């Protein structure tokens, strides 16, 4: 069965178009700027997301970008289920829709997997994500942060943030200080600053 094709209206907002281009590989239909297919229009208004099936195409009403991307996710579900797009209206109850990814357990998620998750989150309408990293981020001069578990380099975090921003997802760094540091404090090199197995010595200068 051929994949449905949607043609973006030329007047589509450039930033929204850039996000749609990122999401295109994750959709069960094709989105193009030229050619034959069903016209797909995006209108910034409210409430939304709202999918309107009209004689000359499909119109998506959205107040913010995350609603437009959720509409694409809803359309993807419809295409997979029945092959047809139906009209739908959702009224969001929250402005902030957040997911916290715990990247402190076992091995860290590879950056490319984080980006894949961000794309799926965008299609759900998520607009903010936290990476919960206890000792899995780069600290210059501290090689035991992320030792044997992997960690995110500063450049990798910047790249993830850039990718998320293109999807209008706000990234929040979420780290621990003074406590929840068992993965680092298990190593003898940190014996001087260890209070308990997870907590550092508050009054020890070396802690800071």
């Amino acid at each position: 069965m051929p994949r449905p094709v949607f043609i973006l209206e030329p007047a589509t907002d450039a930033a929204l178009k850039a996000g749609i281009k990122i999401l295109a590989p994750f959709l069960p239909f094709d989105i193009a700027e030229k050619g034959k297919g069903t016209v797909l229009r995006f209108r910034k208004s409210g409430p939304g997301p709202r999918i309107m099936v009209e004689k000359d195409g499909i119109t998506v009403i959205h107040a913010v970008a995350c609603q437009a991307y959720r509409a694409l996710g809803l359309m993807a579900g419809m295409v997979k289920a029945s092959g047809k797009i139906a009209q739908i209206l959702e009224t969001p109850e929250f402005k902030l829709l957040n997911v916290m990814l715990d990247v402190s357990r076992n091995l860290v998620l590879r950056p490319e997997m984080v980006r894949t998750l961000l794309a799926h989150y965008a299609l759900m309408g998520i607009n903010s994500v936290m990476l919960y990293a206890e000792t899995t981020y780069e600290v210059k001069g501290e090689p035991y942060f992320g030792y044997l578990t992997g960690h995110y380099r500063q450049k990798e975090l910047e790249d993830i943030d850039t990718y998320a921003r293109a999807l209008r997802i706000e990234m929040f760094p979420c780290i621990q200080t003074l406590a929840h540091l068992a993965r680092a404090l298990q190593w003898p090199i940190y014996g001087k600053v260890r209070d308990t197995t997870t907590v550092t010595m508050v009054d020890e200068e070396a802690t800071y």
Side-chain angles (χ1 to χ4, degrees):
M1 184 176 178
R3 286 163 59 95
V5 178
F6 295 95
I7 306 301
L8 273 181
E9 187 182 44
T12 303
D13 175 76
L16 192 65
K17 190 184 297 184
I20 293 172
K21 186 175 181 180
I22 293 173
L23 296 174
F26 301 94
L27 298 170
F29 47 79
D30 296 324
I31 299 181
E33 295 185 43
K34 297 179 181 179
K36 295 182 179 181
T38 302
V39 176
L40 180 59
R41 295 178 289 266
F42 289 87
R43 295 287 183 267
K44 193 169 184 180
S45 183
R50 182 179 183 183
I51 299 172
M52 301 170 62
V53 180
E54 302 170 312
K55 290 183 179 180
D56 60 342
I58 292 175
T59 300
V60 172
I61 305 297
H62 64 286
V64 289
C66 67
Q67 295 174 6
Y69 298 144
R70 174 163 174 78
L72 288 177
L74 292 170
M75 289 171 59
M78 295 177 197
V79 168
K80 283 189 174 183
S82 65
K84 297 181 180 180
I85 305 298
Q87 300 203 127
I88 191 170
L89 169 63
E90 294 185 341
T91 303
E93 298 293 337
F94 303 97
K95 292 182 179 179
L96 180 69
L97 300 171
N98 180 269
V99 169
M100 177 185 281
L101 277 174
D102 189 339
V103 293
S104 297
R105 310 287 174 255
N106 304 313
L107 300 179
V108 299
L109 291 171
R110 293 181 183 276
E112 54 266 32
M113 178 53 68
V114 176
R115 288 191 286 271
T116 296
L117 288 172
L118 287 171
H120 285 290
Y121 291 153
L123 292 172
M124 296 177 193
I126 300 298
N127 58 19
S128 66
V129 173
M130 295 181 181
L131 286 182
Y132 176 70
E134 292 178 348
T135 61
T136 53
Y137 55 94
E138 181 181 31
V139 180
K140 291 182 179 179
E142 301 295 341
Y144 285 92
F145 267 63
Y147 184 61
L148 298 182
T149 62
H151 65 274
Y152 295 104
R153 296 177 176 84
Q154 182 175 335
K155 181 61 166 59
E156 290 173 330
L157 291 173
E158 290 174 354
D159 290 344
I160 289 172
D161 182 56
T162 299
Y163 185 91
R165 194 182 309 120
L167 296 174
R168 293 301 183 267
I169 293 176
E170 184 175 6
M171 295 293 296
F172 290 89
C174 189
I175 67 173
Q176 292 286 349
T177 59
L178 296 179
H180 295 267
L181 301 175
R183 284 299 185 92
L185 294 179
Q186 66 178 310
W187 305 111
I189 192 172
Y190 293 122
K192 185 178 180 181
V193 300
R194 186 190 301 118
D195 185 2
T196 70
T197 56
T198 63
V199 181
T200 53
M201 297 286 288
V202 175
D203 293 325
E204 172 55 53
E205 183 179 349
T207 296
Y208 301 95

